Amino acid sequence: MPGTARPNLQEGPTLAWHTVIAWMSLVGLFMPADIDPSTVLRTVLLVHVIDAIMCGLFASNNGYPRGLWTLLGFGCGAWAVAVLILLPKRQV
């Protein structure tokens, strides 16, 4: 109807994109909440590169495809490392 005001929707607390990325990659567990978003992004990228290297090493030592697990380590971070550590050693 013309002339009626919209109800005032009160916004709740918002979550920034860099906070979500930090927590999904488990970096948020160790970083302060008020850190600069560019620092969060650089730290997450560094941690994911290290996770990719670790996944590649674990995969080649346990008989899994090294390239696949390196990509999974870069994309999924510590989650891929945890899965790879829990997987049994393959008999080749």
Side-chain angles (χ1 to χ4, degrees):
M1 292 192 321
T4 59
R6 289 184 165 179
N8 187 7
L9 299 176
Q10 186 178 25
E11 291 187 25
T14 58
L15 197 57
W17 62 270
H18 64 277
T19 306
V20 173
I21 290 173
W23 279 98
M24 288 181 67
S25 65
L26 300 179
V27 173
L29 295 172
F30 307 106
M31 295 182 80
D34 59 343
I35 199 160
D36 182 43
S38 64
T39 304
V40 172
L41 187 60
R42 288 191 310 256
T43 305
V44 167
L45 285 175
L46 176 68
V47 168
H48 277 253
V49 167
I50 293 169
D51 288 336
I53 293 168
M54 288 175 39
C55 278
L57 291 173
F58 288 152
S60 66
N61 288 338
N62 291 333
Y64 291 99
R66 183 178 184 168
L68 171 69
W69 280 99
T70 301
L71 290 175
L72 285 172
F74 183 74
C76 301
W79 298 105
V81 175
V83 168
L84 195 53
I85 289 173
L86 295 175
L87 285 174
K89 193 170 191 172
R90 289 175 79 182
Q91 302 298 327
V92 286

